[in-house]
Amino acid sequence: MTDEQGGLRGWAAGRRKVWSRLRFTSLRLRLVVVFALVALTAAVSASGIAYWLNREAVLTRAQDAVLRDFRQEMHNRAGALPAHPSQDALQRTAGQMAGSSQRFSVLLVGQDADGRTVYGTSGGLSGFSLRDVPASLRAAVDKRQPLSETNKAPYHLYWQRITVHGTPYLVAGTKVIGGGPTGYMLKSLEPEAKDLNSLAWSLGIATALALVGAALLAQAAATTVLKPVHRLGVAARRLGEGRLDTRLRVSGTDELADLSRTFNNAAAALEKRVADMAARDEASRRFVADMSHELRTPLTAITAVTEVLEEELDSESGGIDPMIEPAVRLVVSETRRLNDLVENLMEVTRFDAGTARLVLDDVDVADQITACIDARAWLDAVELDAERGIHARLDPRRLDVILANLIGNALKHGGSPVRVSVRASQEEVVIQVRDHGPGIPEDVLPHVFDRFYKASASRPRSEGSGLGLSIALNNAHIHGGDITAGNSPEGGAVFTLRLPRDASALAAQPAEGESKDTDHGDGKGRKDGDGAVREPGRSGGENGSAREGAR
């Protein structure tokens, strides 16, 4: 039973391979079919013309010989009979005429001295008779033709081809000039028909051989033409896979060689262009990373000063002049915003450089969302629909970054209440964040995750850096998940986060020099010296600029 199943599987695999090859070589099949059709048309046409010409030649030659002999016999033997011969004389003369070299049957019809119609046939009583002669031929033979300069005789020899029980015959008749019997001749053309049938079979075999030869030639020609095309297809696939050093071996000076040279030139130009773009992109990323690192040092000092100023603003002693208090608050706010922008830029450069790594832990999704909301004092503005006990192996810090950006973005641009719901399957966790605002315009939806995208050109400045949603999406991708944006039929925007239940397969050790404790712009509120969270929720909507002006 096992061998039988193995045989069936092998047969099925072989059939699939054949069909796959047929589909892969469809151009080859078309070439073979076209060649075969051309060869078949040419062979059939040539065979038909040859058969028709040979048929006419064979039949005409046989017919002329028989008619010439019959005319001669009528002149020599029938012409020697009296005007009113007896039946015995007709019978004897018919037998003599039939013994000629052509071996045809003869029927003589005349009138005896008493005016009775008498017959003489070479085949006896059961042989060739007047019933075997077509009426049209008898009428033509008996019809007297008017004499003229071009017509010297009143009667002529007429002939006709007939078929009796599938056998072809030649029938002819004429009258003796000057009075005498009327003679008819019947000659079988079966030998000539057999010769023509043999010729037809020979031409048919030649046509079949020509068709097979054309198919073989077409196969050889198709292989010659399609082999370079196949190599070009393989090279194009390798080029599409990123192997930009792929080149074709060029040989010859025909069109296919020109195509190979064009491909090589295009591949070389593409490789150079990609290398230039990669170099520029690397330079841009390095510039952003270096700029972000360089800005951190002065920003640390500025942040320390602004924190002192902020403490003075909040102190009861009123150490800040009321006239400059608005300016001080603006400096504190903008400094914090600049610090967030630098942190976000550093996080983006980590994703671009591929150095971002996961630090996995078993988390309760509902507890994680609750902690994110509570840390930012969003409990009154967010409705949570999540069952406890939905566990997943994820990076808690990066999950908090995603949730903070999505929920903060919904609160800033959609308005409360914001509803967060969690669904889980065996393979993934789905978190939906829905607000009750006007929704996202259709022309903005494709760009909500773009970096620094502004939905309204008239409002290029916002509290966010325009990187929050992009960072959230990258954090989802590094887990092997995704985020999609859309509008709910009941109104409001809906962001759907899909994460695997276990991202262990994508986890890796942190890159050399990357600290797991480094602040990645996760949107959490900063803590001052006594551990109190300051300005909760302020950085949760870093991605808000993507939807700003659309609500």
Side-chain angles (χ1 to χ4, degrees):
M1 184 65 180
T2 304
D3 294 340
E4 183 179 356
Q5 291 178 348
L8 290 175
R9 284 195 297 268
W11 176 80
R15 188 177 65 173
R16 286 194 299 270
K17 183 178 180 180
V18 170
W19 279 109
S20 175
R21 180 169 178 80
L22 287 178
R23 287 194 297 269
F24 178 73
T25 58
S26 60
L27 182 57
R28 181 190 304 272
L29 290 180
R30 288 198 294 270
L31 287 174
V32 171
V33 169
V34 169
F35 270 76
L37 288 177
V38 171
L40 181 62
T41 303
V44 168
S45 300
S47 299
I49 295 173
Y51 177 79
W52 182 79
L53 292 176
N54 281 275
R55 179 179 181 275
E56 290 300 316
V58 169
L59 292 178
T60 300
R61 183 171 59 251
Q63 173 183 292
D64 291 345
V66 171
L67 293 178
R68 185 171 55 252
D69 198 11
F70 175 64
R71 182 183 289 108
Q72 187 68 30
E73 291 294 328
M74 284 293 294
H75 177 73
N76 294 335
R77 298 186 184 276
L81 292 172
H84 300 285
S86 64
Q87 183 172 357
D88 292 338
L90 289 178
Q91 189 74 28
R92 185 173 54 255
T93 303
Q96 292 172 351
M97 292 174 63
S100 69
S101 61
Q102 294 298 325
R103 300 294 180 183
F104 43 72
S105 299
V106 177
L107 172 65
L108 296 176
V109 182
Q111 288 184 344
D112 60 9
D114 297 330
R116 293 177 301 175
T117 302
V118 292
Y119 302 91
T121 178
S122 61
L125 297 177
S126 60
F128 181 34
S129 66
L130 198 60
R131 294 190 303 271
D132 298 326
V133 180
S136 59
L137 180 62
R138 295 199 304 267
V141 170
D142 293 336
K143 184 177 180 180
R144 183 181 178 88
Q145 302 293 331
L147 299 176
S148 65
E149 293 182 358
T150 58
N151 183 27
K152 305 298 183 179
Y155 299 100
H156 297 275
L157 175 64
Y158 294 93
W159 58 271
Q160 185 176 347
R161 294 173 190 166
I162 62 174
T163 301
V164 180
H165 304 299
T167 302
Y169 289 92
L170 177 65
V171 182
T174 186
K175 281 182 175 291
V176 176
I177 305 301
T182 301
Y184 294 98
M185 178 273 302
L186 181 68
K187 171 65 175 177
S188 174
L189 299 178
E190 186 174 5
E192 288 76 13
K194 290 182 178 179
D195 292 340
L196 292 175
N197 288 335
S198 299
L199 176 62
W201 276 104
S202 300
L203 293 176
I205 294 173
T207 301
L209 293 177
L211 182 61
V212 173
L216 295 177
L217 289 176
Q219 175 70 13
T223 301
T224 304
V225 173
L226 294 181
K227 193 172 183 179
V229 176
H230 174 68
R231 289 199 299 264
L232 180 61
V234 173
R237 283 193 296 272
R238 291 177 179 175
L239 196 66
E241 293 170 356
R243 299 169 65 177
L244 301 181
D245 58 343
T246 301
R247 298 294 184 273
L248 289 172
R249 181 173 56 85
V250 180
S251 60
T253 58
D254 56 4
E255 289 80 359
L256 292 175
D258 291 339
L259 181 60
S260 299
R261 293 189 188 91
T262 303
F263 176 85
N264 290 341
N265 294 335
L270 180 62
E271 183 179 21
K272 183 178 183 302
R273 180 67 60 85
V274 170
D276 293 342
M277 292 177 62
R280 288 196 296 268
D281 187 57
E282 178 63 25
S284 299
R285 286 200 301 266
R286 176 58 58 186
F287 171 76
V288 173
D290 293 344
M291 180 190 67
S292 301
H293 281 285
E294 292 297 328
L295 286 175
R296 292 191 70 181
T297 300
L299 272 177
T300 302
I302 296 173
T303 301
V305 174
T306 55
E307 287 179 351
V308 172
L309 293 176
E310 192 173 16
E311 290 176 357
E312 290 294 329
L313 288 173
D314 296 336
S315 65
E316 297 180 355
S317 60
I320 300 297
D321 188 344
M323 296 295 293
I324 64 173
E325 181 178 343
V328 172
R329 293 189 180 277
L330 178 62
V331 169
V332 171
S333 175
E334 292 301 312
T335 301
R336 186 177 291 114
R337 180 172 176 272
L338 180 61
N339 194 34
D340 291 340
L341 177 60
V342 171
E343 295 294 341
N344 286 336
L345 286 174
M346 293 183 65
E347 181 73 353
V348 167
T349 57
R350 292 188 185 95
F351 284 117
D352 290 342
T355 58
R357 298 292 183 267
L358 291 175
V359 181
L360 300 180
D361 195 5
D362 291 326
V363 298
D364 187 302
V365 177
D367 290 345
Q368 186 72 20
I369 298 174
T370 302
C372 175
I373 296 173
D374 183 56
R376 294 161 179 82
W378 289 341
L379 290 175
D380 295 336
V382 178
E383 298 177 357
L384 179 60
D385 179 14
E387 296 182 359
R388 304 290 175 179
I390 300 177
H391 292 273
R393 186 162 181 78
L394 304 169
D395 188 327
R397 183 187 64 80
R398 295 188 182 277
L399 178 59
D400 185 79
V401 171
I402 300 172
L403 295 172
N405 279 286
L406 295 182
I407 299 174
N409 185 75
L411 289 172
K412 181 183 298 183
H413 298 287
S416 60
V418 172
R419 183 176 179 83
V420 181
S421 59
V422 180
R423 302 192 312 273
S425 65
Q426 187 175 359
E427 300 295 333
E428 67 176 3
V429 177
V430 180
I431 302 174
Q432 281 192 340
V433 179
R434 178 193 168 194
D435 59 49
H436 290 76
I440 306 174
E442 293 296 329
D443 59 330
V444 175
L445 274 175
H447 306 287
V448 292
F449 296 104
D450 294 351
R451 297 175 184 177
F452 301 107
Y453 178 75
K454 301 292 183 178
S456 175
S458 62
R459 298 179 62 186
R461 181 179 179 85
S462 64
E463 295 181 4
S465 64
L467 295 172
L469 276 181
S470 176
I471 292 174
L473 182 63
N474 285 327
N475 278 309
H477 286 169
I478 200 174
H479 281 88
D482 195 16
I483 304 175
T484 57
N487 291 311
S488 173
E490 293 81 11
V494 179
F495 284 84
T496 303
L497 168 65
R498 298 179 183 274
L499 295 175
R501 293 289 293 266
D502 189 354
S504 299
L506 299 173
Q509 295 297 326
E512 184 177 355
E514 181 184 5
S515 174
K516 292 188 291 184
D517 296 329
T518 302
D519 182 12
H520 292 286
D522 55 4
K524 291 184 179 180
R526 292 175 180 77
K527 295 183 180 180
D528 57 16
D530 58 0
V533 178
R534 303 180 60 188
E535 295 197 18
R538 184 195 57 76
S539 61
E542 285 300 311
N543 57 344
S545 59
R547 296 167 64 189
E548 187 172 354
R551 299 298 183 96

